[in-house]
Amino acid sequence: MRVVLAEDLFLLRDGLVRLLEAYGCEILAAVESGPELSRALAELEPDVAVVDVRLPPSHTDEGLQCALTARRARPGLPVLVLSQHVEQLYARELLADGAGGVGYLLKDRVFDAEQFIDAVRRVAAGGTAMDPQVISQLLTRRSQDRPMGGLTPREREVMELMAQGRSNAAIADRLVVTERAVAKHTSNIFAKLGLPVSEDDNRRVLAVLAYLDHG
Amino acid sequence: MRVRRAAVAGAQGLALALMGLTGSVVLLSLTLVSLALIPIGLGVFTTPAVLRLVRTHALHRRALAERWQGIRIPVSYRPFPHDVRGGPTGQVERCTLMLKDPATWRDVRWLLVDATGAPVVAMLAPALVVEGVFGLLLAGGLWKPIVRAEGGAYWYTFVPVENGTGAGFAGLVGLALLAVALWWNPALIGAHFRLTAAVLRPDRETELVERIDRLTETRHTALDTSAAELRRIERDLHDGAQARLVAVGMSLGTVEALLEKDPAQARKLLAMARESSAEALTELRDLVRGIHPPVLAERGLGDAVRALALRLPVGCEVDVELPGRAAAPVESAAYFAVSEVLTNAVRHGGGDRIWVDVSYADGALRIAVTDNGRGGAVAGPAARADGSGTGLSGVERRLGTFDGVLAVSSPVGGPTMVTMEIPCALS
């Protein structure tokens, strides 16, 4: 996997380079500012970009903005955004084009190297990787609000894992059920959310989007 | 159009005169009696209540001045300190505070004017209309029965009416009066309100003195709040993140020693260390959110409020129209004020829908938070008098540092609307 990395803190950048290389990634560029990131994304055509939300010179959400601009120029360009905090607002903006290939994780997730690399791979393959914090914020809100589209508790569990970006196999593994049971739950969820049947893998992204927008 | 305006002004004049001749007269007498009763002690208990009625009456008139004529009369009652005691001692304290407030004496002065001269000015508007119409009626034939009943000349304003010619003349005068009413009625109502404003508004010097008092007070509050905030941050860091990182270091030290002898135990300790560092991060994250929310720093007030709305357990619509960003301290104060008001609305409002409007006009940031809950929220002088509404009073003090104001409209049964205004410049 060919990766472009943007992170302004030297220690973290260095650590991320080591980590990614240890798992067999090729680092095309490891940059520390917004303009450098934009240039790298335009010229290097990476398989995936790992980007810190806050970058110099503005030290605001420059990383996120660069990533969104790059995705407009090259739709579907896989981007995994890392941040010290997660906000639904940002998650929504990342998912808004419905093209998939996005991730939004707390920086702490690198603590678990395997899971982190798994998320990078999912995003590179066009899937999604949403931080459990974003999803749990939604769930607490939902449970006090109305049940979303009348999902059963089990379907909500499946929805939560699917929203994080996990495959049916991974969900089955986590919930200790068969893959066929998960497939049944997901098709029920798609039906309840009014998503048309298609072979497109993006339906999972659309479900997450519907989930984020429902409120 | 002009006719309608004159007629409306006539009706308004009548209403104002009635308010002055009933409300103000009664309140003036009550105030005087209550003040006279202070030496024997009884007045101490009645005065705050009466003065509160007077304030409500004056506030109502200020609202009418703004609504009918666009004349703004500033409200300048001194806020009560938030630690007024309860019981009789508190009552004495409250009474003294109110009597020491120059705004109270301006209110009384206004009552005197509003019970005597001001209604006359207001009354001119409807009087012109009535007298004018009467003149026309006289000319139209009403003079005959009247002159017959009077048995001689009937004086209409300055015209003696005894025959058709006189009546015709009265008609002309009536027309002239109506013309005057047509051109001058709104101006008469304006004059009434300008008189009200002149009496109620603090004069320049008093205004400055009051302003200095207010600045001193808000500066104290600001310093106190920020000192308390620093203490809280210090404590949270000390007891939380710092302690956890020490624990991580200790675990790692032990791991170093155990690595060879007992790898299983070392692995367990490593897992604990990782957990500890994750918890330290969570605590730091919450702390940062409490000091200065990241979205506010990254995106400004609009998106910060939107992010806030997304985290609420009830549906919340946010409408932002800001042509630029305000200074960081103003943005921060506004954000935390909105946050507090939203929390209040969710906790006490009991509604299932909230609307937030953020806009900028006339050199001030305006934020309105409306919910469809049960209402009954209080703030301002009314809140502090009975000790409730402390949450909103806290917001008011916070905004006060920036010369900002807070207004609450919350009739029992709802809806509740909290409006905040902070004068500032946008960049």
Side-chain angles (χ1 to χ4, degrees):
Chain A
M1 237 179 339
R2 299 153 71 245
V3 183
V4 162
L5 177 70
E7 162 65 58
D8 55 329
L9 292 178
F10 171 74
L11 276 178
L12 255 176
R13 186 168 68 241
D14 193 47
L16 280 168
V17 168
R18 275 172 216 269
L19 182 66
L20 288 165
E21 278 178 346
Y23 280 83
C25 297
E26 183 194 342
I27 307 293
L28 297 181
V31 301
E32 54 180 325
S33 76
E36 282 178 285
L37 171 63
S38 297
R39 215 172 310 128
L41 288 180
E43 290 166 7
L44 297 175
E45 304 213 340
D47 295 328
V48 61
V50 178
V51 174
D52 182 10
V53 166
R54 209 182 272 201
L55 284 181
S58 66
H59 283 289
T60 60
D61 61 345
E62 193 151 346
L64 180 67
Q65 301 297 353
C66 286
L68 291 174
T69 316
R71 268 173 74 85
R72 268 194 293 278
R74 224 183 98 193
L77 166 71
V79 174
L80 174 62
V81 172
L82 296 180
S83 173
Q84 289 293 11
H85 64 105
V86 291
E87 291 288 345
Q88 277 186 55
L89 198 70
Y90 294 179
R92 230 180 245 218
E93 288 175 358
L94 277 164
L95 286 164
D97 58 12
V102 287
Y104 180 41
L105 296 179
L106 271 181
K107 279 189 181 168
D108 318 10
R109 302 301 167 209
V110 299
F111 282 10
D112 192 330
E114 300 254 350
Q115 273 196 25
F116 174 68
I117 294 295
D118 180 46
V120 176
R121 289 200 182 114
R122 278 208 312 267
V123 172
T128 58
M130 283 293 130
D131 200 278
Q133 270 221 350
V134 178
I135 310 300
S136 69
Q137 265 180 29
L138 280 168
L139 278 184
T140 37
R141 183 170 168 195
R142 280 296 105 65
S143 60
Q144 289 177 38
D145 215 353
R146 59 214 123 87
M148 174 190 177
L151 297 187
T152 65
R154 193 53 158 187
E155 282 164 0
R156 276 174 56 175
E157 278 177 316
V158 173
M159 178 76 224
E160 187 180 351
L161 289 165
M162 193 166 70
Q164 288 173 21
R166 315 226 169 247
S167 66
N168 279 4
I171 296 174
D173 197 43
R174 181 71 76 87
L175 296 179
V176 204
V177 291
T178 62
E179 242 189 279
R180 273 194 50 198
V182 175
K184 214 180 111 235
H185 285 310
T186 48
S187 62
N188 279 347
I189 292 170
F190 291 148
K192 285 184 181 175
L193 294 179
L195 297 168
V197 182
S198 79
E199 289 304 302
D200 193 355
D201 218 23
N202 277 348
R203 213 145 51 116
R204 300 173 84 89
V205 179
L206 291 176
V208 181
L209 254 185
Y211 201 64
L212 282 166
D213 277 340
H214 215 85
Chain B
M1 193 58 206
R2 193 176 282 279
V3 174
R4 217 180 75 88
R5 270 218 305 274
V8 168
Q12 289 173 345
L14 192 61
L16 287 171
L18 282 176
M19 271 183 260
L21 292 175
T22 55
S24 298
V25 169
V26 170
L27 282 172
L28 182 62
S29 345
L30 277 178
T31 310
L32 293 179
V33 170
S34 183
L35 287 177
L37 288 179
I38 285 183
I40 63 161
L42 197 59
V44 174
F45 294 92
T46 53
T47 308
V50 173
L51 287 181
R52 209 143 53 230
L53 279 179
V54 172
R55 285 181 183 192
T56 317
H57 186 53
L59 284 173
H60 177 236
R61 192 60 62 88
R62 285 187 178 93
L64 288 185
E66 169 125 39
R67 192 165 350 131
W68 288 353
Q69 287 282 332
I71 296 177
R72 272 187 99 126
I73 308 173
V75 183
S76 58
Y77 300 115
R78 269 187 204 162
F80 279 121
H82 46 98
D83 51 356
V84 176
R85 278 160 292 182
T89 23
Q91 192 69 11
V92 173
E93 204 176 321
R94 215 166 283 144
C95 182
T96 331
L97 281 170
M98 281 181 123
L99 289 182
K100 271 195 194 154
D101 188 348
T104 300
W105 299 102
R106 282 198 296 274
D107 275 359
V108 174
R109 190 174 65 180
W110 168 68
L111 281 182
L112 196 64
V113 173
D114 200 56
T116 52
V120 176
V121 181
M123 204 55 206
L124 274 176
L128 280 171
V129 177
V130 171
E131 196 68 2
V133 170
F134 185 57
L136 289 185
L137 287 179
L138 280 179
L142 193 64
W143 64 276
K144 282 180 202 155
I146 290 182
V147 167
R148 210 172 302 135
E150 293 268 317
Y154 168 76
W155 284 85
Y156 169 76
T157 56
F158 53 88
V159 184
V161 180
E162 39 192 351
N163 49 31
T165 327
F169 207 53
L172 283 180
V173 172
L175 263 182
L177 287 179
L178 279 179
V180 171
L182 220 49
W183 289 96
W184 290 98
N185 257 4
L188 280 170
I189 302 303
H192 169 89
F193 280 126
R194 260 190 292 281
L195 184 61
T196 306
V199 189
L200 270 184
R201 180 183 291 147
D203 61 63
R204 189 82 189 121
E205 197 179 328
T206 330
E207 206 173 15
L208 284 176
V209 170
E210 280 172 20
R211 192 167 157 66
I212 290 169
D213 285 351
R214 201 155 47 235
L215 286 177
T216 316
E217 193 194 304
T218 51
R219 190 184 55 184
H220 278 309
T221 319
L223 287 176
D224 284 352
T225 324
S226 67
E229 188 76 342
L230 279 179
R231 268 198 304 282
R232 182 185 67 81
I233 294 167
E234 187 269 340
R235 204 171 43 238
D236 283 359
L237 280 175
H238 191 87
D239 299 345
Q242 220 171 352
R244 287 193 198 284
L245 288 175
V246 170
V248 170
M250 261 167 50
S251 301
L252 288 178
T254 321
V255 166
E256 212 168 25
L258 281 179
L259 210 53
E260 314 266 285
K261 276 184 286 171
D262 189 352
Q265 183 67 18
R267 187 163 299 137
K268 216 190 273 173
L269 275 176
L270 273 179
M272 271 170 62
R274 198 170 74 182
E275 233 165 74
S276 241
S277 71
E279 276 163 21
L281 274 175
T282 313
E283 267 166 28
L284 284 173
R285 193 169 291 129
D286 291 345
L287 197 62
V288 166
R289 209 187 274 289
I291 300 169
H292 194 73
V295 196
L296 184 62
E298 289 161 5
R299 293 282 186 88
L301 187 59
D303 275 355
V305 172
R306 278 195 197 103
L308 198 57
L310 283 173
R311 278 201 300 275
L312 288 186
V314 300
C316 180
E317 273 169 47
V318 181
D319 198 11
V320 181
E321 244 176 88
L322 289 179
R325 284 186 69 164
V330 175
E331 271 194 340
S332 176
Y335 174 86
F336 283 108
V338 173
S339 168
E340 174 82 32
V341 172
L342 284 176
T343 314
N344 264 344
V346 170
R347 201 175 297 156
H348 309 297
D352 60 357
R353 208 98 206 115
I354 301 177
W355 295 267
V356 184
D357 261 300
V358 184
S359 64
Y360 184 82
D362 304 330
L365 183 65
R366 281 160 213 259
I367 304 168
V369 180
T370 316
D371 71 61
N372 62 353
R374 65 177 83 91
V378 277
R384 276 172 305 229
D386 65 5
S388 63
T390 44
L392 285 176
S393 303
V395 176
E396 203 173 10
R397 275 198 302 281
R398 201 198 281 270
L399 295 180
T401 318
F402 298 90
D403 266 348
V405 288
L406 174 136
V408 180
S409 148
S410 182
V412 173
T416 299
M417 181 166 171
V418 178
T419 329
M420 290 168 272
E421 233 182 83
I422 312 174
C424 64
L426 294 191
S427 61

